């Protein structure tokens, strides 16, 4: 639960979809109808055609790895694969995880699989799987009676937040207490855990831990006919990679973890290190806006400091006088300080893609331009409209984030004095992200469903059967380089590649240098030399750099750079708690 309650690209679905395919929640491929539950579930991987050019399967695995084989109910894991394009040089299957917890790997392979395939060289199948409790994998983690009930509950506090709204903390604690009790009843089990018990009786929320998912990854690899895992995990996917490398160090053929959070911090449920570089990215907004000039950045001023002063004035204006937007797409809204802070934080994840939207929104607030504000807000935080028909279960919101993230972590108890100090520390660390990140503590303190199997470390290995590769931006929005360096030291022989960029994961900024190292690693197992750093080929507001060099690229490298740009536009990102 380090990366957000809802996925901007993969998890949040609108009951009556009105946004268009180029918005951050939907692509044309998502519109293709496919019934996951029509596929037969099997103890072997049986591929079936799906989504035109993909293959899908549903794999039966033990719900509880601590029970004897064949005892009790199963988990049904949804798998979706993009076949390799280079059959002559076929190298096997790479598993991907887009982040979360709660990200759908089957959706991610549709959204990013083709560009990932182009980057790694086309000789691999690219396989996305829905981890337990997510997407089309069963049992699901649904605490509410309907999507409408869930959305009404979350929308009811849209402009209320800790540290931004007076008296918000006690209200948030009470709300999370209510959700914790609701989910304990729905997914915590009845206490019956015998051979004939159902997954509901055993408690679906008790069997979604990262230890179980890492073991699922091992079983998937074996059932693919591969001796060892090949994997590229982003964001929370870096946590899964650390679990796997610690639990099964002799089962790694290739592993890249990208946008790395230290699993030793994650398992403590402390969440105190994530945002140490977030404000640096906000400061970069002022710098790049100034460097780009008035033609590319409408907030341009003669210096970065002047741009910052202008933005601060806009923030103060919104705080003192929230902006009424009577004709927003889904009805009247008020643009509040809470929405402004939330969106600024979200936009630090992908500065190249999102900083222009941030400038548009700020100008709109400065000029009381409701249309400009509404266009940006609805793009990132779309309102809910209910057409009343039930969505397919794999498209509905779920509680995977809390079940996995809170369950993996140490049990927490809410203490008001501790929380006041914690909130103050997080807000000092990250002006815009701190209040949202601090909600993790509130939610986990009220979460009641605990996992039967919880791996707590050590998150280390003297050696892995092949060294893992850690890829990390210089300034990551929520997974700092300092954490990546800690992880690098604990896994013997691991390589570390630093990309001099701003944003979450290397995919937030295209870098041909990074892509060439990733391809070399997957094709030949080659690690970058110690201390290797990569520059990027595009910057926020400024756009493409090194155009002369780009024009001299080989056809292969030009194709690779194009794939990178596609991946940076489509790669999943995750929102803070809503």
């Amino acid at each position: 639960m380090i990366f957000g309650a809802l996925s901007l690209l993969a998890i949040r679905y609108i009951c009556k979809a009105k946004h268009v395919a180029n918005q951050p929640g939907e692509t044309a491929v998502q519109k293709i109808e496919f019934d996951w539950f029509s596929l037969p579930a099997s103890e072997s991987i049986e591929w079936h055609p799906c989504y035109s050019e993909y293959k899908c399967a549903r794999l039966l695995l033990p719900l509880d790895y601590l029970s004897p084989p064949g005892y009790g109910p199963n988990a049904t894991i949804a798998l979706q694969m993009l076949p390799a394009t280079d059959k002559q040089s076929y190298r096997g299957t790479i598993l991907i995880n887009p982040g979360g917890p709660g990200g759908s790997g089957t959706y991610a392979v549709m959204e990013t699989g083709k560009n990932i395939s182009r980057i790694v060289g086309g000789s691999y199948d690219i396989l996305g799987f829905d981890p337990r409790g997510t997407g089309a994998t069963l049992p699901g983690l649904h605490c509410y009676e309907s999507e409408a009930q869930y959305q009404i509950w979350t929308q009811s506090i849209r402009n209320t937040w800790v540290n931004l709204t007076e008296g918000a903390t006690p209200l948030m604690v009470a709300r999370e207490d209510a959700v914790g009790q609701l989910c304990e009843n729905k997914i915590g089990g009845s206490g019956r855990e015998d051979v004939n018990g159902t997954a509901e009786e055993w408690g679906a929320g008790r069997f979604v831990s990262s230890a179980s998912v890492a073991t699922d990854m091992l079983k998937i690899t074996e059932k693919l006919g591969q001796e060892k895992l090949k994997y590229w995990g982003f964001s929370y996917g870096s946590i899964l990679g650390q679990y796997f490398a610690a639990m099964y160090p002799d089962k790694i053929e290739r592993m890249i973890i990208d946008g790395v959070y230290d699993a030793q911090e994650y398992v403590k449920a402390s969440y105190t290190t994530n945002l140490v570089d977030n404000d640096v990215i906000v400061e970069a907004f002022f710098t790049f806006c100034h460097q780009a000039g008035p033609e590319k950045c409408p907030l341009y001023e003669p210096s970065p400091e002047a741009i910052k002063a202008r933005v601060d004035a806009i923030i103060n204006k919104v705080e003192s006088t929230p902006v009424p937007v009577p004709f927003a797409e889904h009805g009247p809204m008020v643009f509040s300080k809470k929405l402004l802070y939330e969106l600024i934080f979200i936009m630090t994840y992908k500065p190249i893609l999102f900083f222009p939207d941030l400038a548009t929104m700020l100008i709109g607030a400065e000029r009381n331009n409701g249309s400009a504000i509404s266009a940006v807000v609805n793009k990132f935080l779309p309102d809910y409209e209910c057409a009343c028909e039930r969505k397919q279960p794999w498209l509905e919101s779920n509680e995977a984030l809390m079940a996995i993230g809170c369950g993996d972590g140490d049990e927490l108890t809410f203490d008001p004095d501790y929380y006041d100090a914690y909130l103050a520390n997080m807000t000092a660390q990250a002006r815009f992200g701190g209040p949202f990140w601090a909600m993790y503590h509130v939610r986990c303190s009220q979460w009641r469903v605990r996992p039967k199997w919880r791996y707590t470390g050590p998150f280390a290995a003297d050696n892995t059967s092949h060294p893992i590769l850690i890829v990390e931006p210089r300034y990551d929005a929520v997974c700092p380089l300092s954490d990546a360096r800690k992880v690098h030291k604990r896994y013997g022989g691991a390589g570390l590649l630093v990309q001099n960029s701003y944003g979450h994961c290397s995919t937030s900024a295209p870098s041909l240098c990074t892509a060439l190292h990733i391809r070399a690693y997957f094709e030949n197992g080659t690690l970058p030399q110690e201390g290797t750093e990569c520059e990027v080929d595009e910057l926020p507001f400024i756009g493409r750099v090194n155009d002369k060099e780009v024009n001299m690229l080989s056809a292969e490298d030009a194709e690779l750079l194009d794939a990178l740009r596609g991946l940076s536009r489509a790669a999943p990102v995750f929102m803070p708690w809503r």
Side-chain angles (χ1 to χ4, degrees), residues 417-429:
D417 293 333
Y418 170 84
Y419 187 71
D420 285 346
Y422 172 73
L423 177 59
N425 176 66
M426 294 304 296
T427 304
Q429 186 180 113

Side-chain angles (χ1 to χ4, degrees), residues 474-531:
R474 172 71 63 183
Y475 301 108
D476 191 297
V478 291
C479 295
L481 178 58
S482 53
D483 273 23
R485 293 194 189 280
K486 293 175 186 175
V487 175
H488 176 228
K489 290 179 180 179
R490 293 203 304 269
Y491 289 89
L496 174 63
L497 175 64
V498 176
Q499 178 175 289
N500 288 317
S501 63
Y502 299 80
H504 186 34
C505 300
S506 69
T507 53
S508 61
S511 167
L512 181 60
C513 169
T514 298
L516 289 170
H517 282 294
I518 288 172
R519 178 176 288 184
Y521 177 77
F522 274 118
E523 289 192 341
N524 306 314
T526 306
L527 291 173
Q529 291 184 355
E530 185 176 352

